[in-house]
Amino acid sequence: MFGFVDKSVMGLLQEARLSVISRLGKLAQENDICHILVAGDVYDLEHPSQRLLNQPMERMRVFDNITWHLLPGNHDPQRPNGLWDRVRKAGVPDNIEIYSEPIPQHVDGLPMVILPAPLHHKRTLHDPTEYMNNVDLPEETIRVGLAHGSIAKFGTSAENVSNYIDPTRPETANLSYLALGDWHGQKKINSRCWYSGTPENDAFNVVNGGKALIVEINSPDALPNVTPIDTGKYTWVRLSHQLKDQEDIDLLERKIRNQSDELDCCLIRLTVEGELSLEDQDHLRNKVVDGVSAALCHLEVNQENLFSNPTKEDIDQIDVGGFVREAAVRLKELADNGGDSRSELAREALLRLYLELKKSEHGFS
Ligand SMILES: [Mn+2]
C-alpha cells in the first residue's frame, strides 16, 4: 500500500487511516450517534501483525458509548483461523460487534435489526445479501442490511461477477436501508442504498472519498435521511497543466497553492505537457518541483509529455562557440527526434548541461 510515496509519507498516511477512526467516533458523539456501521475491509491485509490487528480495535474501544458494527469484507474475509479469529482471541472490546455469519442481530435498545452479509472468501459468486429476502421479523422492525461488494456487473456475465450485490435488495428484502462498502468513493445507489466511501482516502483515482454518512431512520417504511459528512484528513488531487512559458508555470504554482487551505495534507499527482525552454525548465524546477512541492504532503510530477525546446539564447548561454556548443546543438537535434529513449536522454543531458553552466555562473558547483 502507498508504494509510490517515501517512507515518512507512508507513515503519515497509515497513521491517518487509524486516526480517522477517532474522528468518526468524535463526530458520532457530537451528533448523538450511538452506532457506527463499518461495511467491510477494516483491514486491507489478510495476515497483519498482531499489533496492526489490535490498532483499530484500540481506537474504537475508547468510545465506550458507541457500538461499532464490523463486517468482514473481501480484503479481510471471515476464514477459519483467519484474522477475525485472531482478533477474537486477543479479546474484542465490549463496544464492538463482529458479524462473521449472516445472522440477523437485534440492536440493543432500538427497534432495529442488522442483517449482515459477511464475506467468507475474497470472491463470492453468490449474492451474499440474498438470504435477507427470507428473514422474517415483526413488521415494526427497522431492517438494516450491511454488505460488502459491487452492485455493478461491469458488462461481464453474471456468473463471473464476484461479490455482486443486487441493488434492488432494499425492496426485495424489505430493508429500510442497505449500507454498502467496497467502493472507495461515496455514492448514492438509491434512496435506501449508499456506499459510504472510505473515511480516509487512499488513492488518486477515488472520486468523493474521505467521507462517511449519517443515516437517520424514523420508521421501517419512511425514507431514511442520509447526510454525507467529511471525515478525511488528506486530499488527493490529480492535476494536468499545459506549459509553454514562465507565466504558465507561475499560474500552475498558484493553482497548486489554491488546492487546499492545508497544503501539508494535500497529495498531488501532476501531469505537465508542452514545450519549455531550458531557462523555463529551470523555473519549473524552482517554482514547482522543488518549490511548492515543499508545502505539500506529496507531489508527483509526470513530465513524460513535457519537451525541451531550447531557444537560441539557451544554447548561446551554454557556449557561444567551441565543442561544448557543438555538443549542445547535437543534443538538441537528438532531442527533437522525439519518441525514443535516446531523445529522452538527450533532453535530460541538454538540460543538465544548461543547469551546470548556470551554477558555475553563480560561482558554485
Ligand atoms: Mn473491498
Side-chain angles (χ1 to χ4, degrees):
M1 202 85 213
F2 306 132
F4 62 93
V5 294
D6 63 33
K7 264 193 165 168
S8 62
V9 172
M10 193 176 328
L12 290 173
L13 297 177
Q14 280 166 346
E15 172 53 30
R17 295 210 294 186
L18 280 178
S19 58
V20 76
I21 298 173
S22 311
R23 207 163 321 121
L24 277 171
K26 281 179 196 142
L27 282 164
Q29 282 176 335
E30 284 166 25
N31 288 282
D32 291 323
I33 289 164
C34 301
H35 296 277
I36 297 181
L37 277 62
V38 184
D41 289 353
V42 174
Y43 302 98
D44 66 356
L45 300 168
E46 258 202 87
H47 306 283
S49 69
Q50 194 62 42
R51 184 179 144 80
L52 274 176
L53 214 47
N54 292 340
Q55 278 177 326
M57 296 294 143
E58 292 300 330
R59 301 283 172 142
M60 293 180 222
R61 183 200 294 273
V62 293
F63 294 92
D64 53 10
N65 52 350
I66 293 171
T67 306
W68 302 77
H69 303 263
L70 311 184
L71 183 81
N74 64 323
H75 282 100
D76 54 1
Q78 167 64 34
R79 311 284 293 160
N81 302 312
L83 66 85
W84 292 107
D85 287 352
R86 290 169 60 205
V87 168
R88 281 189 201 89
K89 229 179 190 169
V92 180
D94 290 342
N95 62 332
I96 297 178
E97 293 283 349
I98 300 167
Y99 298 101
S100 293
E101 299 300 330
I103 299 172
Q105 182 157 317
H106 272 277
V107 177
D108 272 353
L110 292 176
M112 177 170 119
V113 168
I114 291 179
L115 293 87
L119 296 184
H120 289 185
H121 304 278
K122 269 203 176 320
R123 294 163 55 88
T124 302
L125 292 175
H126 71 277
D127 180 340
T129 64
E130 204 175 338
Y131 85 95
M132 298 176 187
N133 289 358
N134 305 315
V135 174
D136 276 334
L137 291 168
E139 224 172 79
E140 62 277 14
T141 311
I142 291 171
R143 300 157 66 103
V144 173
L146 179 61
H148 188 90
S150 172
I151 58 124
K153 292 188 172 176
F154 297 114
T156 47
S157 65
E159 306 87 67
N160 294 329
V161 176
S162 56
N163 310 331
Y164 173 72
I165 292 167
D166 186 343
T168 66
R169 189 65 60 208
E171 292 155 47
T172 58
N174 197 20
L175 303 175
S176 300
Y177 186 75
L178 174 59
L180 290 182
D182 196 25
W183 294 5
H184 289 200
Q186 187 170 87
K187 195 166 171 56
K188 177 183 181 175
I189 304 306
N190 57 54
S191 49
R192 295 191 189 274
C193 178
W194 287 65
Y195 282 94
S196 61
T198 46
E200 184 67 56
N201 197 3
D202 59 6
F204 285 107
N205 58 2
V206 174
V207 179
N208 216 13
K211 287 173 187 294
L213 294 168
I214 297 179
V215 181
E216 199 185 326
I217 304 168
N218 292 314
S219 72
D221 295 334
L223 286 182
N225 295 320
V226 182
T227 313
I229 50 167
D230 291 324
T231 52
K233 174 174 178 183
Y234 287 93
T235 312
W236 297 64
V237 185
R238 280 189 296 190
L239 289 180
S240 59
H241 201 81
Q242 296 285 331
L243 297 174
K244 61 177 187 309
D245 53 27
Q246 298 208 0
E247 222 172 286
D248 293 337
I249 295 166
D250 295 343
L251 193 70
L252 171 62
E253 187 205 348
R254 280 201 298 280
K255 184 158 122 184
I256 292 174
R257 288 197 190 281
N258 287 333
Q259 285 303 314
S260 165
D261 294 335
E262 290 174 325
L263 288 175
D264 58 326
C265 294
C266 199
L267 293 92
I268 295 184
R269 175 171 281 173
L270 170 68
T271 303
V272 283
E273 291 181 349
E275 277 193 358
L276 288 181
S277 70
L278 298 181
E279 190 187 358
D280 291 351
Q281 284 185 66
D282 194 25
H283 190 68
L284 177 66
R285 178 177 302 273
N286 290 332
K287 288 288 172 180
V288 177
V289 179
D290 293 338
V292 67
S293 79
L296 301 168
C297 171
H298 174 74
L299 175 67
E300 200 175 294
V301 188
N302 179 341
Q303 305 195 34
E304 232 167 76
N305 290 313
L306 181 70
F307 298 104
S308 290
N309 187 14
T311 59
K312 188 170 173 304
E313 290 75 35
D314 285 337
I315 303 278
D316 283 348
Q317 277 204 57
I318 291 174
D319 197 2
V320 283
F323 75 94
V324 180
R325 184 193 174 93
E326 263 177 51
V329 170
R330 178 80 187 112
L331 283 171
K332 179 172 168 15
E333 280 169 15
L334 277 173
D336 286 349
N337 264 333
D340 61 14
S341 59
R342 239 158 68 112
S343 67
E344 180 80 11
L345 204 61
R347 272 196 293 277
E348 270 174 41
L350 194 56
L351 181 61
R352 181 65 62 84
L353 203 58
Y354 176 84
L355 293 175
E356 285 301 319
L357 174 109
K358 286 205 81 176
K359 272 198 260 175
S360 62
E361 265 177 4
H362 290 104
F364 52 84
S365 62

